[in-house]
Amino acid sequence: MLLPRPTYDQKGTALMMYFMDIARISFVLLFLSGTCLADRTADQYRKAFESIDDDWMDRISNHTEVLTHSLRQPPCLEAWFAKAGSLLNKIAGPAGAENCDWEVDLSEGLEVELPHLGSLRDITRVIRADAERNMILGNSDLVADRIEMLYRISAHVGPPTLISSLLASAILMEANVLLDDAISKGMIHPAHAQQILRSMKGLDPEDPLGMTAGLESEQMFAMIVIDDFYGEIGSDGPIVEEADREAMVRTATEMHLPPGDYEWLFAGKAAIKSLFERYYTELLTIWKNRSTTDVEAESLKLEKRVM
């Protein structure tokens, strides 16, 4: 039996379905490849972190002042910087990636662990010292490479938390200081400038530290902590039972809350949550208006007014 010849509409529909399938498959593959890349980047960092040696890193850090003011590299540093160079070669790969997903679940609240932040801080110390060494040796290409590496790593500190933002700030400050020093010594040529500018593309020009997302995550942490703190009470309202009040004081002490009068805690979970939601909402507003606002002064005023 011969099948009826497809009409133009039928062929058009078939082609449309075919291309839709291709598009759907391509999207899935693109998503998976992006996810795998992000995961692989974090894994590459972790593998490199295994090469961190606190002993020679401390020795390098302790000699940073010597490097800064020396006209030549002290011979004792050669072996240590050989190890540092090997470590930085391993860091170069993941540092060059556009994204890095550390796969951290922030919903764990205060139980969340961020061990990569300490390792990135250590790496920053090594990069800074190696950049200063290469300034002494006149290796302008390597100086530019190290500065580029710092800018790229600063975009990989995630996930969004305040401590991540603080580390990003510290890394960017190191990069800026090195860049200023290299420029003052005539070591940044046009090609180097373009290289370093490209490394900054991973930074949000409006919020390079990711402070907005960090404050939003801190608000989430605060809500989780409040829920845990009042979890055993079984009520969202004011705490009136003496036994419950005594239990709350014990919990506050165990959680190392600032000593003093805990009377304000007896207002209950709903009231405390409302207080903190107001605080973080207004704090975020202050931060988002930072171009026209004295953030430090207004934050202090907010704390006195709300807390």
Side-chain angles (χ1 to χ4, degrees):
M1 178 179 177
L2 293 175
L3 292 173
R5 184 168 182 156
T7 66
Y8 176 82
D9 287 343
Q10 289 172 322
K11 286 190 289 185
T13 301
L15 281 171
M16 184 181 295
M17 293 301 296
Y18 172 76
F19 284 117
M20 286 178 67
D21 285 340
I22 293 295
R24 183 164 57 248
I25 292 169
S26 299
F27 174 78
V28 171
L29 289 175
L30 182 63
F31 173 78
L32 291 176
S33 66
T35 303
C36 292
L37 176 63
D39 296 347
R40 188 166 69 247
T41 299
D43 288 341
Q44 288 175 335
Y45 269 121
R46 293 187 184 102
K47 186 67 177 175
F49 292 163
E50 294 174 6
S51 301
I52 293 176
D53 184 319
D54 290 339
D55 179 54
W56 58 260
M57 282 188 56
D58 287 341
R59 290 176 184 270
I60 288 174
S61 293
N62 292 339
H63 284 76
T64 297
E65 192 70 18
V66 175
L67 283 169
T68 304
H69 299 288
S70 294
L71 297 177
R72 61 184 179 84
Q73 174 184 304
C76 65
L77 294 182
E78 291 181 10
W80 303 336
F81 273 111
K83 293 182 179 181
S86 175
L87 170 61
L88 297 184
N89 287 339
K90 296 174 184 176
I91 289 293
E98 184 176 348
N99 299 302
C100 182
D101 182 3
W102 294 98
E103 298 183 303
V104 174
D105 183 6
L106 293 181
S107 66
E108 294 180 11
L110 294 184
E111 299 301 317
V112 71
E113 295 183 355
L114 303 168
H116 67 280
L117 295 183
S119 298
L120 289 177
R121 181 196 61 214
D122 291 340
I123 293 295
T124 298
R125 291 163 54 201
V126 176
I127 296 172
R128 174 195 170 192
D130 195 64
E132 290 174 338
R133 165 182 172 263
N134 279 293
M135 284 189 200
I136 292 172
L137 298 176
N139 296 331
S140 59
D141 288 348
L142 280 176
V143 170
D145 286 346
R146 298 316 185 218
I147 295 172
E148 174 193 6
M149 191 178 289
L150 285 176
Y151 282 117
R152 292 189 182 279
I153 289 175
S154 72
H156 289 172
V157 297
T161 63
L162 275 185
I163 192 171
S164 300
S165 296
L166 291 173
L167 177 59
S169 174
I171 295 173
L172 286 173
M173 287 177 64
E174 293 284 11
N176 292 341
V177 169
L178 287 171
L179 181 56
D180 286 343
D181 196 15
I183 290 173
S184 70
K185 293 177 179 176
M187 302 191 75
I188 301 300
H189 308 305
H192 298 142
Q194 290 297 321
Q195 172 188 354
I196 293 169
L197 281 172
R198 284 194 298 272
S199 72
M200 297 179 183
K201 287 185 177 179
L203 300 172
D204 181 347
E206 298 297 325
D207 189 7
L209 305 182
M211 190 66 75
T212 301
L215 287 172
E216 289 171 346
S217 71
E218 289 299 312
Q219 181 175 10
M220 180 188 72
F221 286 151
M223 298 303 109
I224 292 173
V225 170
I226 292 169
D227 283 335
D228 289 346
F229 187 80
Y230 287 93
E232 297 181 6
I233 302 301
S235 170
D236 290 351
I239 312 302
V240 294
E241 297 294 334
E242 189 61 32
D244 289 338
R245 292 189 170 200
E246 291 175 358
M248 291 199 66
V249 171
R250 286 195 299 272
T251 302
T253 304
E254 291 168 1
M255 292 180 69
H256 305 291
L257 291 184
D261 186 2
Y262 295 123
E263 188 76 24
W264 62 277
L265 294 172
F266 303 152
K269 183 169 80 172
I272 298 300
K273 266 195 164 183
S274 177
L275 180 71
F276 274 85
E277 284 174 350
R278 176 187 168 195
Y279 172 74
Y280 279 106
T281 298
E282 293 192 28
L283 185 60
L284 275 164
T285 300
I286 291 171
W287 172 248
K288 290 176 181 178
N289 293 327
R290 58 191 176 278
S291 61
T292 57
T293 302
D294 184 336
V295 174
E296 183 177 0
E298 292 302 316
S299 298
L300 289 172
K301 289 179 186 177
L302 171 64
E303 187 171 342
K304 291 178 181 178
R305 185 173 70 252
V306 176
M307 308 301 286

